[in-house]
Amino acid sequence: MHLNPLCNYFPLLTLHNPFKYPLLFSEMKKLDVFFNPGVHPQFAEIFNYPPKGVKYHYKLSKEDYNSEITRKKRALIIKIHKLGIPRMTFVSNAGKYDLIHSTRGILPLNKKPWIVDIESGAAFSGLNWNNLKNPLIQKIIIKFLSSKYCKKIIPQSEAATISLLENIDCSSFKDKIETVYLAYRVQKLKRKKSDKVRLSFIGRTFYEKGGHHLLEAFRILNKKYPGKLKLKYKGKVPKKRKLNLPNVEYLENISDSKKFYDVIFGDCDIYVQPTTVDSFGVSILEAMSTGLPIVCTDDFTLPELVQDGYNGFLVKSPSHWYDHRFDLKDYPMLASKTNPQTVKEFVEKISILIEDRKLREKMGRNSFALVSTGKFSIKERNKKLRRIYDEA
């Protein structure tokens, strides 16, 4: 009788129960996983970099995440959810796959093992928290997350996990919840040299992303360090709020991804994000992947991305969107108020990095390590995903 050589080292394991640890004795099973990505670029970081032995099958949307059409479509979907219908999807020909990885809500019709990826508890109601108060929506969500076909619910952060537990009765499926952080490929950019300290910012909306706080902070910093600074601002700015300074560059869309990284992160020393409305903060993860120190608010997931004093600095947010999640329609008005204390703290933290090049570089290396080998690395994410897929 021929025995696996590993039996010499694990005799009790193999003789007592040879099937208990199958991966010790056989090749990892190859898996066909159907993945239904949304329009956000974050999902490309999953299907372009699958776990070992996993083949993703997917269909890409042709929609532009930032387009007016996409925003109108989101608004229409939210109205549909108000009727008592949670976010759900259906996969045709599901029998061809080993399991389904959904980023589009529950799968009420597919009789196939599935897991669901969420950015917050409101992912099941079209990102509208008030819809979660609807008893019908709650009942449907709980029913299908409790079903034998739903194998795992994977929030993208600990903040997202807490938001799920606080807004939905998870008692019947709590053991299925496990945080799996978003991950990003590292960008080994050759950072351009400059005699100025360069700041970058990305914000699709002005007030909610804290554009007014950034510009006011930069106005003060520019006086404090005359001729030493430069700001790249990507996003729309109300005409009356623009700083008409030669060292402030306003950028619109940059469609080419390589050029985007070179312009925003390659020509930069500090990435600043005064947001009050992010559910994750993908742009911060992008900046970290290029080795930049971060100065941002402590909003929702951001304290998980930025360890204060390690890879950047956290500033107390003037208003946390999650605390106002049930009145987000009025939130832009609240967010538009300039908070002097917030501006003061951004000036103080950015000043520390302006004056200490070695600290900037050290924090940048720490950011890079968190993405290249740490908890936001593709390796760590794929290790978790592969185990979750195998269990499913």
Side-chain angles (χ1 to χ4, degrees), residues 4-177:
N4 188 302
L6 285 177
C7 293
N8 295 327
Y9 300 96
F10 303 102
L12 294 177
L13 278 179
T14 52
L15 293 176
H16 178 67
N17 187 351
F19 302 106
K20 188 174 181 182
Y21 301 92
L23 295 184
L24 288 173
F25 309 101
S26 62
E27 287 187 14
M28 190 179 286
K29 178 181 176 352
K30 291 184 178 179
L31 295 175
D32 285 303
V33 178
F34 184 85
F35 183 76
N36 62 340
V39 295
H40 195 288
Q42 64 176 273
F43 297 114
E45 299 300 313
I46 298 178
F47 62 70
N48 281 335
Y49 304 94
K52 188 176 180 181
V54 172
K55 182 177 181 181
Y56 283 124
H57 302 263
Y58 56 90
K59 185 177 181 181
L60 289 178
S61 171
K62 294 180 180 179
E63 294 175 22
D64 177 359
Y65 178 71
N66 292 311
S67 72
E68 189 64 31
I69 293 173
T70 303
R71 285 198 284 274
K72 285 181 179 178
K73 187 176 177 181
R74 284 193 212 117
L76 176 62
I77 290 171
I78 287 172
K79 288 180 181 178
I80 293 171
H81 292 316
K82 284 181 179 178
L83 300 175
I85 302 170
R87 194 180 195 195
M88 60 180 70
T89 190
F90 173 75
V91 177
S92 59
N93 300 315
K96 293 163 54 179
Y97 314 109
D98 293 303
L99 70 150
I100 300 165
H101 182 151
S102 172
T103 71
R104 315 292 284 172
I106 60 175
L107 281 82
L109 299 178
N110 288 115
K111 308 301 181 185
K112 196 77 183 175
W114 54 273
I115 67 171
V116 60
D117 195 314
I118 62 168
E119 61 187 274
S120 71
F124 296 110
S125 59
L127 302 182
N128 186 294
W129 293 95
N130 283 304
N131 288 343
L132 277 181
K133 294 179 178 180
N134 186 314
L136 178 58
I137 282 187
Q138 282 268 348
K139 186 176 180 180
I140 296 171
I141 291 169
I142 292 167
K143 175 183 176 181
F144 288 102
L145 294 184
S146 304
S147 79
K148 65 179 182 179
Y149 298 107
C150 175
K151 301 297 184 181
K152 209 79 171 178
I153 301 110
I154 51 172
Q156 296 172 352
S157 66
E158 291 297 335
T161 296
I162 292 167
S163 76
L164 175 65
L165 294 169
E166 287 182 343
N167 294 277
I168 296 175
D169 179 5
C170 302
S171 55
S172 59
F173 53 84
K174 193 174 180 180
D175 58 329
K176 297 181 184 181
I177 302 169

Side-chain angles (χ1 to χ4, degrees), residues 199-212:
L199 283 62
S200 282
F201 163 85
I202 301 170
R204 181 167 53 85
T205 55
F206 183 71
Y207 292 109
E208 294 95 321
K209 294 288 185 177
H212 53 314

Side-chain angles (χ1 to χ4, degrees), residues 362-378:
K362 181 183 177 182
M363 286 185 165
R365 288 193 296 272
N366 291 340
S367 278
F368 189 81
L370 285 168
V371 181
S372 59
T373 58
K375 62 181 180 179
F376 302 110
S377 68
I378 287 174

